[in-house]
Protein backbone atom coordinates (compact mmCIF):
# COMPACT_ATOMS: atom_id res chain seq x y z
CA UNK A 1 0.00 0.00 0.00
CA UNK A 2 2.94 2.35 0.61
CA UNK A 3 3.85 2.13 -3.07
CA UNK A 4 0.35 3.24 -4.07
CA UNK A 5 0.58 6.17 -1.63
CA UNK A 6 3.84 7.30 -3.21
CA UNK A 7 2.56 6.85 -6.77
CA UNK A 8 -0.55 8.92 -6.01
CA UNK A 9 1.47 11.65 -4.25
CA UNK A 10 3.83 11.84 -7.22
CA UNK A 11 0.95 11.72 -9.72
CA UNK A 12 -0.87 14.62 -8.07
CA UNK A 13 2.28 16.74 -8.11
CA UNK A 14 2.97 15.74 -11.70
CA UNK A 15 -0.51 16.88 -12.72
CA UNK A 16 0.13 20.27 -11.12
CA UNK A 17 3.44 20.85 -12.90
CA UNK A 18 2.77 19.03 -16.19
CA UNK A 19 1.70 22.23 -17.91
CA UNK A 20 5.07 23.81 -17.09
CA UNK A 21 7.45 20.84 -17.23
CA UNK A 22 7.90 19.75 -19.93
CA UNK A 23 5.34 21.51 -22.12
CA UNK A 24 5.54 25.25 -21.47
CA UNK A 25 9.28 25.20 -20.77
CA UNK A 26 9.95 23.22 -23.96
CA UNK A 27 7.73 25.56 -25.97
CA UNK A 28 9.67 28.56 -24.70
CA UNK A 29 12.98 26.87 -25.52
CA UNK A 30 12.09 25.51 -28.97
CA UNK A 31 9.96 28.52 -29.97
CA UNK A 32 12.06 31.17 -28.25
CA UNK A 33 11.37 33.84 -30.87
CA UNK A 34 7.61 33.34 -30.57
CA UNK A 35 7.79 33.38 -26.77
CA UNK A 36 9.71 36.65 -26.84
CA UNK A 37 7.11 38.05 -29.25
CA UNK A 38 4.35 37.13 -26.81
CA UNK A 39 6.29 38.65 -23.91
CA UNK A 40 6.70 41.86 -25.91
CA UNK A 41 2.92 42.25 -25.79
CA UNK A 42 3.29 42.99 -22.09
CA UNK A 43 6.63 44.81 -21.90
CA UNK A 44 7.01 46.15 -25.50
CA UNK A 45 10.85 46.07 -25.54
CA UNK A 46 12.94 43.12 -26.63
CA UNK A 47 15.55 43.03 -23.83
CA UNK A 48 13.01 42.88 -20.97
CA UNK A 49 10.93 40.38 -22.96
CA UNK A 50 13.96 38.08 -23.38
CA UNK A 51 14.69 38.43 -19.66
CA UNK A 52 11.10 37.51 -18.77
CA UNK A 53 11.21 34.42 -20.98
CA UNK A 54 14.54 33.28 -19.51
CA UNK A 55 13.19 33.78 -15.99
CA UNK A 56 10.05 31.91 -16.99
CA UNK A 57 12.02 28.93 -18.28
CA UNK A 58 14.10 28.82 -15.09
CA UNK A 59 11.01 29.06 -12.89
CA UNK A 60 9.09 26.46 -14.86
CA UNK A 61 11.91 23.93 -14.85
CA UNK A 62 13.47 24.62 -11.46
CA UNK A 63 10.34 25.03 -9.37
CA UNK A 64 8.63 22.09 -11.07
CA UNK A 65 11.59 19.83 -10.29
CA UNK A 66 11.57 21.01 -6.66
CA UNK A 67 7.86 20.25 -6.38
CA UNK A 68 8.31 16.81 -7.94
CA UNK A 69 11.30 15.86 -5.79
CA UNK A 70 10.09 17.44 -2.56
CA UNK A 71 13.24 19.59 -2.27
CA UNK A 72 12.16 22.95 -0.83
CA UNK A 73 8.79 22.13 -2.36
CA UNK A 74 6.82 24.55 -0.22
CA UNK A 75 8.85 27.57 -1.33
CA UNK A 76 8.85 26.32 -4.93
CA UNK A 77 5.07 25.94 -4.88
CA UNK A 78 4.78 29.47 -3.44
CA UNK A 79 6.89 30.80 -6.32
CA UNK A 80 4.79 28.85 -8.84
CA UNK A 81 1.58 30.26 -7.34
CA UNK A 82 2.99 33.77 -7.80
CA UNK A 83 4.13 32.91 -11.31
CA UNK A 84 0.61 31.77 -12.22
CA UNK A 85 -0.84 35.01 -10.82
CA UNK A 86 1.67 37.25 -12.59
CA UNK A 87 1.24 35.49 -15.94
CA UNK A 88 -2.53 35.78 -15.61
CA UNK A 89 -2.29 39.50 -14.95
CA UNK A 90 0.23 40.16 -17.73
CA UNK A 91 -1.04 37.87 -20.52
CA UNK A 92 -4.65 36.96 -19.73
CA UNK A 93 -6.09 40.47 -19.51
CA UNK A 94 -9.68 39.58 -20.33
CA UNK A 95 -10.85 43.12 -19.64
CA UNK A 96 -8.79 44.71 -22.44
CA UNK A 97 -10.57 43.49 -25.62
CA UNK A 98 -13.86 44.95 -24.39
CA UNK A 99 -15.90 42.11 -25.86
CA UNK A 100 -16.43 39.95 -22.78
CA UNK A 101 -20.23 40.02 -22.94
CA UNK A 102 -20.22 39.49 -26.71
CA UNK A 103 -18.38 36.19 -26.34
CA UNK A 104 -15.19 37.33 -28.06
CA UNK A 105 -11.53 37.14 -27.15
CA UNK A 106 -12.18 38.65 -23.72
CA UNK A 107 -14.39 35.71 -22.72
CA UNK A 108 -11.73 33.17 -23.79
CA UNK A 109 -9.06 35.07 -21.89
CA UNK A 110 -11.29 35.16 -18.81
CA UNK A 111 -11.34 31.36 -18.57
CA UNK A 112 -7.55 31.20 -18.98
CA UNK A 113 -7.23 33.91 -16.32
CA UNK A 114 -9.35 31.87 -13.90
CA UNK A 115 -7.47 28.66 -14.71
CA UNK A 116 -4.19 30.37 -13.83
CA UNK A 117 -5.57 31.38 -10.44
CA UNK A 118 -7.08 27.94 -9.85
CA UNK A 119 -3.69 26.40 -10.56
CA UNK A 120 -2.14 28.90 -8.15
CA UNK A 121 -4.56 27.57 -5.53
CA UNK A 122 -3.29 24.05 -6.10
CA UNK A 123 0.28 25.23 -5.58
CA UNK A 124 -0.74 27.07 -2.42
CA UNK A 125 -2.10 23.79 -1.04
CA UNK A 126 1.43 22.43 -1.25
CA UNK A 127 2.79 25.63 0.30
CA UNK A 128 0.42 25.97 3.23
CA UNK A 129 -1.23 22.56 3.51
CA UNK A 130 -4.91 21.88 3.79
CA UNK A 131 -5.53 23.08 7.32
CA UNK A 132 -5.29 26.39 9.11
CA UNK A 133 -2.73 24.98 11.55
CA UNK A 134 -0.23 24.24 8.77
CA UNK A 135 0.25 27.88 7.75
CA UNK A 136 2.51 28.58 10.72
CA UNK A 137 4.78 25.71 9.66
CA UNK A 138 5.48 27.39 6.34
CA UNK A 139 5.95 30.82 7.90
CA UNK A 140 8.37 29.38 10.47
CA UNK A 141 10.47 27.51 7.88
CA UNK A 142 9.58 28.42 4.29
CA UNK A 143 12.38 26.32 2.78
CA UNK A 144 11.27 23.16 4.50
CA UNK A 145 9.99 20.15 2.62
CA UNK A 146 6.58 18.58 2.94
CA UNK A 147 8.33 15.18 2.59
CA UNK A 148 5.72 14.12 0.04
CA UNK A 149 6.98 10.58 -0.38
CA UNK A 150 7.46 9.54 3.22
CA UNK A 151 4.88 7.03 4.36
CA UNK A 152 4.09 6.98 8.05
CA UNK A 153 1.39 4.92 9.63
CA UNK A 154 -0.33 5.79 12.86
CA UNK A 155 0.04 3.23 15.61
CA UNK A 156 -3.13 1.27 16.15
CA UNK A 157 -4.19 -0.08 19.53
Amino acid sequence: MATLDIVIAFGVRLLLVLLFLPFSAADKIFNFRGAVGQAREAVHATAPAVTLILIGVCVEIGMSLCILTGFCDRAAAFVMAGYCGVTALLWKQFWKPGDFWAGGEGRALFWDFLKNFALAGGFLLITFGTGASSVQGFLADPLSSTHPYSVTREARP
Side-chain angles (χ1 to χ4, degrees):
M1 213 48 175
T3 303
L4 181 61
D5 295 343
I6 292 169
V7 167
I8 289 173
F10 181 79
V12 168
R13 286 166 178 260
L14 182 62
L15 286 173
L16 274 172
V17 302
L18 195 59
L19 172 68
F20 304 103
L21 182 71
F23 296 109
S24 181
D27 184 52
K28 285 177 179 62
I29 292 167
F30 296 121
N31 184 23
F32 193 77
R33 185 180 306 242
V36 170
Q38 185 181 17
R40 287 189 65 196
E41 293 173 14
V43 295
H44 305 296
T46 302
V50 168
T51 302
L52 284 175
I53 296 304
L54 292 175
I55 290 169
V57 168
C58 291
V59 166
E60 290 177 356
I61 293 172
M63 299 305 108
S64 294
L65 288 173
C66 287
I67 290 167
L68 285 174
T69 62
F71 177 75
C72 295
D73 59 341
R74 297 172 86 176
F78 188 73
V79 169
M80 287 299 284
Y83 182 76
C84 288
V86 167
T87 57
L89 292 170
L90 289 178
W91 286 284
K92 307 299 181 189
Q93 298 175 352
F94 65 90
W95 55 90
K96 276 194 170 180
D99 61 356
F100 180 81
W101 296 111
E105 182 185 1
R107 170 99 21 118
L109 286 171
F110 175 72
W111 293 113
D112 287 343
F113 181 88
L114 283 182
K115 287 176 190 176
N116 272 37
F117 277 97
L119 192 53
F123 287 122
L124 291 174
L125 281 175
I126 292 175
T127 304
F128 296 114
T130 59
S133 63
S134 60
V135 172
Q136 288 302 317
F138 173 73
L139 296 176
D141 189 5
L143 296 179
S144 66
S145 172
T146 61
H147 306 287
Y149 309 117
S150 66
V151 180
T152 57
R153 300 280 183 229
E154 294 181 19
R156 297 184 183 190

